[in-house]
């Protein structure tokens, strides 16, 4: 099986981002965002996002109006887009619970602006695109970079950081922002939580970062919070993609885990009704074993956390 064309990124784009990620500037930018998120300085984080967006649009329009060849400006512009995604991802990982929804809304507003365009010298409207992905309709490289961060950092995160990230991503996917591709991250989470043999673990385990931890070291309870968010917040796209047997994913993303293979779940390299039924069965079984007082019931609340915090603080007043 080969990587679908929808996931292919030009080599010159990839070479540039690989070089930057290995350098001190990348680490410094992410550390700055981390500090701001831990201090709840969301206004500063969003102001920096705005600076990146302004820079992206300004570079695009300047290149078009100067008649610069695409090969000369697209790789550099792709870099700024991916720095923006790293900035938003890092903020989502480290911000406190009350601020995650601001990031979701900002991403929804960006997506809602539609195509970024510029009128050239010939009076023709040029639409900004990267590797056949339109800014901002297709959110170029967003899903790909979220998969990258999964592979890089998922195991080493603390549980609350993991929940932060996947609250953000599952909510974005549930809001129908590049949900077909972004649900690739959901497959990865659900495969590791429900399709891979693991110890149950404990609710009392120390919740801390550990750079030496690997994904094989994680327990079911290390993963359950993230998996529950994908089953809940991204429920609608997951049901739709499963009903349509959607499988436009690289093989390393879409493949089945060992437990699903043993159960005879059809392997189509992505979503299927059989796979969704297996996830539900495993999810309900884990909930029953861990929380017998729920009688197998799982939460159905999909309101944003920030809304629920406000409701809980007000009691019933105003509802």
């Amino acid at each position: 099986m080969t990587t679908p064309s929808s996931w292919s990124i030009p080599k010159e784009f990839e070479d540039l981002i690989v070089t930057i990620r290995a350098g001190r500037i990348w680490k410094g930018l992410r550390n700055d965002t981390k500090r701001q998120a831990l201090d709840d300085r969301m206004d500063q984080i969003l102001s920096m996002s705005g600076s990146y967006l302004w820079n992206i649009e300004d570079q695009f329009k300047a290149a078009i109006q100067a008649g610069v060849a695409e090969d000369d400006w697209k790789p550099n512009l792709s870099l700024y887009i991916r720095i923006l995604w790293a900035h938003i991802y890092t903020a989502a990982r480290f911000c406190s619970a009350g601020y995650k929804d601001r990031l979701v809304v900002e991403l929804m507003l960006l997506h809602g602006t539609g195509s970024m365009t510029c009128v050239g010298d010939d009076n023709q409207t040029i639409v900004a695109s990267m590797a056949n992905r339109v800014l901002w309709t297709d959110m170029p490289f967003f899903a790909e970079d979220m998969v990258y961060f999964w592979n890089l950092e998922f195991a080493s995160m603390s549980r609350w950081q993991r929940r932060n990230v996947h609250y953000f991503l599952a909510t974005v996917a549930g809001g129908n922002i590049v949900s077909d591709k972004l649900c690739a991250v959901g497959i990865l989470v659900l495969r590791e939580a429900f399709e891979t043999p693991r110890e149950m673990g404990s609710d009392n385990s120390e919740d801390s970062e550990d750079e030496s931890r690997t994904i094989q070291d994680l327990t079911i309870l290390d993963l359950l919070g993230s998996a529950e968010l994908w089953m809940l917040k991204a429920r609608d796209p997951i049901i739709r993609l499963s009903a349509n047997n959607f499988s436009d994913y690289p093989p390393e993303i879409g493949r089945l885990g060992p437990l699903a293979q043993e159960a005879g779940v059809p392997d189509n390299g992505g979503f299927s009704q059989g796979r969704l039924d297996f996830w539900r069965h495993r999810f309900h079984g884990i909930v029953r074993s861990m929380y017998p007082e729920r009688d197998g019931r799982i939460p159905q609340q999909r309101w944003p956390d920030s809304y629920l915090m406000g409701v809980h603080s007000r009691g019933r007043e105003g509802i």
Side-chain angles (χ1 to χ4, degrees):
M1 297 176 68
T2 58
T3 299
S5 60
S6 61
W7 286 80
S8 298
I9 298 176
K11 186 176 184 300
E12 61 270 24
F13 291 11
E14 279 301 288
D15 288 348
L16 187 57
I17 191 65
V18 167
T19 300
I20 293 298
R21 284 171 176 164
R24 293 168 58 186
I25 293 176
W26 175 268
K27 185 177 181 180
L29 290 172
R30 292 200 64 199
N31 282 339
D32 286 346
T33 304
K34 176 181 176 179
R35 284 192 293 269
Q36 291 169 352
L38 289 172
D39 292 341
D40 289 336
R41 287 182 280 158
M42 188 56 66
D43 288 340
Q44 286 182 254
I45 289 170
L46 296 181
S47 177
M48 181 58 69
S49 297
S51 296
Y52 288 135
L53 290 170
W54 178 87
N55 200 353
I56 290 166
E57 184 171 7
D58 186 62
Q59 283 194 39
F60 165 64
K61 291 183 174 179
I64 295 301
Q65 291 166 357
V68 178
E70 289 187 353
D71 290 346
D72 292 332
W73 62 265
K74 281 194 173 184
N76 193 55
L77 199 65
S78 75
L79 179 62
Y80 277 95
I81 295 169
R82 301 178 84 170
I83 290 173
L84 171 65
W85 298 152
H87 175 70
I88 292 174
Y89 162 87
T90 305
R93 175 178 172 179
F94 292 105
C95 72
S96 58
Y99 290 95
K100 297 190 298 291
D101 291 312
R102 285 191 66 183
L103 292 171
V104 173
V105 170
E106 289 296 319
L107 210 63
M108 288 180 170
L109 290 172
L110 176 59
H111 183 253
T113 62
S115 303
M116 189 168 73
T117 61
C118 177
V119 178
D121 289 340
D122 57 0
N123 217 28
Q124 295 294 311
T125 298
I126 309 298
V127 178
S129 66
M130 293 280 147
N132 298 318
R133 301 158 174 86
V134 175
L135 282 74
W136 296 102
T137 306
D138 298 329
M139 306 293 274
F141 315 123
F142 184 74
E144 292 89 342
D145 284 358
M146 296 307 107
V147 170
Y148 164 81
F149 285 120
W150 156 278
N151 290 321
L152 184 70
E153 299 177 350
F154 187 79
S156 62
M157 292 183 191
S158 66
R159 286 184 184 179
W160 77 264
Q161 290 171 7
R162 221 173 274 130
R163 189 188 186 281
N164 266 6
V165 167
H166 292 282
Y167 175 94
F168 170 70
L169 294 178
T171 305
V172 168
N176 201 32
I177 298 177
V178 292
S179 58
D180 293 4
K181 292 188 74 172
L182 189 53
C183 280
V185 182
I187 289 180
L188 293 171
V189 173
L190 295 166
R191 183 178 71 211
E192 294 300 331
F194 300 142
E195 299 180 5
T196 305
R198 297 185 184 279
E199 295 182 3
M200 182 63 70
S202 170
D203 275 333
N204 298 320
S205 299
E206 183 180 358
D207 188 24
S208 61
E209 292 183 58
D210 184 351
E211 293 296 330
S212 66
R213 184 166 51 220
T214 68
I215 201 163
Q216 289 77 23
D217 298 326
L218 297 176
T219 66
I220 289 175
L221 289 183
D222 287 332
L223 295 155
L224 188 62
S226 300
E228 183 174 17
L229 286 165
W230 279 98
M231 296 288 283
L232 196 62
K233 302 290 186 182
R235 183 178 70 195
D236 293 339
I238 287 177
I239 289 174
R240 172 177 57 81
L241 294 171
S242 298
N244 293 329
N245 291 309
F246 188 83
S247 59
D248 188 31
Y249 300 112
E252 65 273 14
I253 291 176
R255 63 178 175 82
L256 291 178
L259 298 180
Q261 294 177 32
E262 293 171 9
V265 175
D267 189 356
N268 72 332
F271 288 96
S272 69
Q273 190 59 50
R275 194 172 197 179
L276 177 56
D277 291 343
F278 179 82
W279 290 336
R280 286 169 168 165
H281 176 75
R282 287 277 291 149
F283 187 24
H284 284 264
I286 292 166
V287 169
R288 281 195 297 269
S289 66
M290 292 299 300
Y291 311 106
E293 69 278 6
R294 292 190 189 178
D295 193 26
R297 295 188 300 272
I298 62 172
Q300 295 298 313
Q301 182 58 265
R302 292 197 292 171
W303 285 103
D305 279 3
S306 55
Y307 171 82
L308 293 175
M309 290 168 64
V311 170
H312 293 161
S313 67
R314 294 193 303 268
R316 297 184 60 86
E317 183 180 355
I319 299 177

